[in-house]
Amino acid sequence: MSDKLPSTTYQSLTSGLDNTDNARRRYEDPYANRLFLIIDSLPEMQRALAMTLASFGADKVEYASKAGDALAKMAKFEFDVVLCDYDLGNGYDGLYLFEEVKERNLIKQSCVFMIVTGERRAQRVISAAELAPDDYLLKPFTGEVLSQRLEKAMRRREAFRVVDEAIMRHEYLTAIDACSRRISQRGEFTLDFMKLKGSLAQKIGDFDTARSLYMDVLRLKPLAWAKLGLAKSLTGLKAYDEAKLLFEEVLADNERVMEAYDWLAKLHRIHHDLPGAQDTLQKATALSPVVLRRQKQLAEVALLNKDLETAEAASEETLNIAKYTWHRSPTHYAMLARVQLARGETGTAARTLGNLRRDYRYNEMGEWMCNVIDSQLQTRLGNHEKARTLLASAETAYQKLGSNLPAEAQMEFARACFAQGKQDSGNAAMRDLVRNNHDDEELLSSIGSLFEEVGLGDVGRQLIAENVQSVLELNNQAVREAQAGRFEQAIERFVKAHEEMPHNVQVMLNLANATMAYVHGNGWHESHMRRAYDMLTQVRDLAPTNNKFQKILKAWRQLVEKLGKPQWVL
């Protein structure tokens, strides 16, 4: 939708800078040697687009007729331009595909992703704008229109090649440094690099850097994206009142800046204003209903608010949106069934359970979740013996699946335990979840809400506090060993902690850090470094944007290069 949004260059906001004619002249042939991907279920449309591209000089074109094929090709090739039809079948559309591609880091920063469709409904267009593909081209269109749109998007994206490799490797500090260099050059795309630097700084939790950058932009002009970015940075810095005013100001200027609603709802929840959070999310879903995370949040907030009708509608919408996307999960069925049981709708809950059994047949996690949900259904129906048998089976499987399950699935299991009076089993599950995520404030808050929901608020608060404190003490003991130069002892403590909490990101990072400190002082140690390498690889999969991970990743690269071990570069 770039043709509908105002475009502002850095030069238009400042004076005394060179014009961009030379830069435009250097970009003479935007199509030669570029690799294109056309995603469309209709072979005739694929051919028509390919012929149009060929008339521009594009001769390297790949094709995909469905989302799965497209994802496989994007994992294999580095595309420069993706032209994606909106309707990909089975309820899966180009916007979902774009979101998945970005989440999975399958396309480089310089790749142009353009939605091609006949879809004209305002709600869908808004969703397209907030997910931010490079353009949204409505059928029918001429070759000239496509050429103009592509040339404009490709020229802009070309500038981002300098950060491609770093971002694809999750090296966000390196990417931020590259942005800073381009910003200092004050070229044509300075504002674009400022915008990218701000988003990358926020991604790794460097809110001070992000705040300073957005304030620099706002001194030039009150651009909506900079105002929104500043409000998000202030939220990260816990300046909640100031952030709230800015989000409200953004929406007063333009009620369709959808992300502002999500953040306002988050602030309402921080201040325990559930009605305010629900009202904000309902306004947003009315404007843009096809964004899964928002529907899911609305369902959660409405359930906490005891607005079961809204919770059920939002849960159903969440399930429908996710069904043919990579967000698809048994936990969406569990959420819907839980709301239906809360409404006393045992029949509809049974149908939801049946759908889960059908859709996740032969899937280990799906079948496990069926037993968890069914145990709650049977409890509600008064079939207590059957409920106990189902939960016992789920508990046995839980010992195997355990912490590899998503947090929502572990919490659903704990609910089922509490519903049958198996408080020790529920507490144990939540204890493990807290210890593996002791620094995740949002998750800890959700765990606290679960205990409140089942009438165990005091128990939950004590469990959370004690286990967070125990992890901190264990970490601090090992850190003190490292600070005293006793790196072997520190490593041993962190190894023991990792055995107890195999998914705790901070423990893995501290273990890697202690190992590097040991190697700095004592030289190469193969087994220690291999274990540290494995830890960092796991963190890259679990939490690639973790600020501490980014710093350790940079130090790791410097260390292995200094020691002449390039094969150990992550």
Side-chain angles (χ1 to χ4, degrees), residues 329-339 352 356 369 373 412:
S329 169
T331 59
H332 298 140
Y333 298 79
M335 176 72 176
L336 176 57
R338 178 151 48 94
V339 176
T352 298
L356 174 59
M369 183 60 80
I373 297 172
E412 203 61 49

Side-chain angles (χ1 to χ4, degrees), residues 256-304:
R256 294 185 173 184
V257 180
M258 305 307 301
E259 200 178 354
Y261 290 99
D262 299 329
W263 284 83
L264 264 180
K266 182 177 181 179
L267 290 177
H268 284 305
R269 292 190 70 172
I270 287 171
H271 288 112
H272 307 290
D273 178 11
L274 290 174
Q278 181 174 333
D279 180 63
T280 300
L281 290 168
Q282 284 181 293
K283 288 177 182 175
T285 53
L287 286 169
S288 178
V290 296
V291 178
L292 181 140
R293 67 179 182 277
R294 188 173 301 128
Q295 290 285 1
K296 186 168 174 288
Q297 284 186 33
L298 175 57
E300 292 169 355
V301 170
L303 182 56
L304 290 171

Side-chain angles (χ1 to χ4, degrees), residues 224 227-232 234-235 239-268 271 273 276-277 279-280 283:
K227 200 176 291 186
L228 181 68
L230 178 58
K232 288 159 63 177
L234 291 170
T235 302
Y240 299 135
D241 292 340
E242 194 175 349
K244 182 172 181 289
L245 289 173
L246 269 176
F247 286 128
E248 290 172 344
E249 188 177 322
V250 167
L251 289 173
D253 293 339
N254 183 352
E255 67 172 1
R256 294 185 173 184
V257 180
M258 305 307 301
E259 200 178 354
Y261 290 99
D262 299 329
W263 284 83
L264 264 180
K266 182 177 181 179
L267 290 177
H268 284 305
H271 288 112
D273 178 11
D279 180 63
T280 300
K283 288 177 182 175

